[in-house]
Amino acid sequence: MIEFFSNLFAPIIHILQTILGAFYSVTSAAGLESYGFPIILLTILIKLVTYPLTVKQVKSMKAMQDIQPKMKKIQEKYKHDPQMLQQKTGELFREAGVNPLAGCLPLLVQMPILMGMYYALFNFTFPSAAAAFFWLPSMSEPDPYYILPVLSAATTFLQQKMTSSEMTGQMKIMMTVMPLFIGWISLTFPSGLVLYWVTMNVVQIAQQWWMYRGEDKTAKGAA
């Protein structure tokens, strides 16, 4: 299965690894002899390029969460009338300016890049002279001190918390289970790949703060 997807995303993987090598040429010339810095730079570049899609995805998800209380009332009121339930739900979406598919489409567009980055780093052979990064003896191996797995879980949790407002029971469970799962699988993943995930989360958190900074000021002013 891994080989199948690796072949499927081969062109994207090649492009990403080429950019990674170019970034390494720049950072090594600056005296930073580690592939950790190029991984961070490439991750930031990807998040900047896909920022417009991230905005649409995050704002659509938040809008859907904001109308959840009204959705629950409609579902309860018309639970025995599927036709009216569908009609009232559609009216609610139109009134709120929400498209249920708007949160999925940007993610689908970004998926090839995310998968390409995953396989680009999962299969990447770091030169021994540039494999170490701060406390990591080799980014081809799991983090022996478990720092990155903990960071991967913590940043995943924080990123989800920033997106979620009104949470159902299932969403609360997922908000706990998903970070724990990410942290658990990070224990065995190459630390270079986990470094990418942590960096991606940190940039996403910064981007989401930037998106909603005006709302925070408005809320404080209203209070």
Side-chain angles (χ1 to χ4, degrees):
M1 184 62 72
I2 292 179
E3 185 177 353
F4 169 77
F5 282 109
S6 181
N7 292 332
L8 181 65
F9 294 106
I12 298 175
I13 293 171
H14 176 71
I15 292 172
L16 292 174
Q17 288 183 340
T18 300
I19 298 174
L20 188 65
F23 276 141
Y24 176 70
S25 297
V26 174
T27 57
S28 62
L32 302 174
E33 293 288 341
S34 172
Y35 261 92
F37 299 104
I39 289 174
I40 292 173
L41 290 175
L42 179 55
T43 307
I44 293 173
L45 175 63
I46 291 173
K47 291 301 295 179
L48 289 176
V49 170
T50 59
Y51 178 70
L53 295 175
T54 300
V55 171
K56 290 183 179 180
Q57 178 188 346
V58 171
K59 290 195 172 183
S60 176
M61 289 172 61
K62 196 169 188 302
M64 285 293 293
Q65 291 171 9
D66 290 342
I67 65 172
Q68 281 302 308
K70 293 181 179 180
M71 280 282 291
K72 289 179 184 178
K73 291 180 180 178
I74 292 174
Q75 290 169 351
E76 183 63 27
K77 186 175 182 179
Y78 300 105
K79 61 183 177 182
H80 300 302
D81 189 346
Q83 186 173 353
M84 187 58 70
L85 174 61
Q86 184 176 4
Q87 179 182 330
K88 292 296 182 180
T89 302
E91 289 175 2
L92 176 62
F93 286 157
R94 286 191 293 273
E95 289 173 4
V98 173
N99 182 352
L101 297 177
C104 299
L105 292 177
L107 182 60
L108 291 176
V109 174
Q110 296 177 72
M111 191 57 69
I113 299 176
L114 296 176
M115 293 296 292
M117 189 66 174
Y118 171 84
Y119 287 108
L121 292 176
F122 193 86
N123 298 324
F124 192 77
T125 302
F126 295 98
S128 57
F133 185 63
F134 288 106
W135 70 91
L136 301 170
S138 174
M139 286 180 291
S140 298
E141 302 294 332
D143 184 346
Y145 303 106
Y146 310 118
I147 296 173
L148 282 179
V150 170
L151 288 176
S152 69
T155 54
T156 299
F157 176 81
L158 182 56
Q159 187 268 321
Q160 288 182 339
K161 188 173 178 62
M162 290 181 69
T163 306
S164 303
S165 52
E166 296 290 334
M167 291 188 295
T168 63
Q170 288 183 332
M171 289 175 64
K172 288 180 180 178
I173 293 173
M174 282 299 295
M175 192 171 170
T176 302
V177 172
M178 182 59 72
L180 291 176
F181 174 72
I182 294 295
W184 178 68
I185 62 175
S186 296
L187 293 172
T188 57
F189 276 3
S191 51
L193 180 58
V194 185
L195 176 63
Y196 155 69
W197 182 264
V198 171
T199 305
M200 184 177 67
N201 282 341
V202 170
V203 177
Q204 176 95 0
I205 290 167
Q207 288 179 337
Q208 288 179 210
W209 171 83
W210 180 259
M211 290 177 211
Y212 296 116
R213 71 196 187 285
E215 293 184 12
D216 293 339
K217 292 179 182 178
T218 302
K220 289 180 181 177

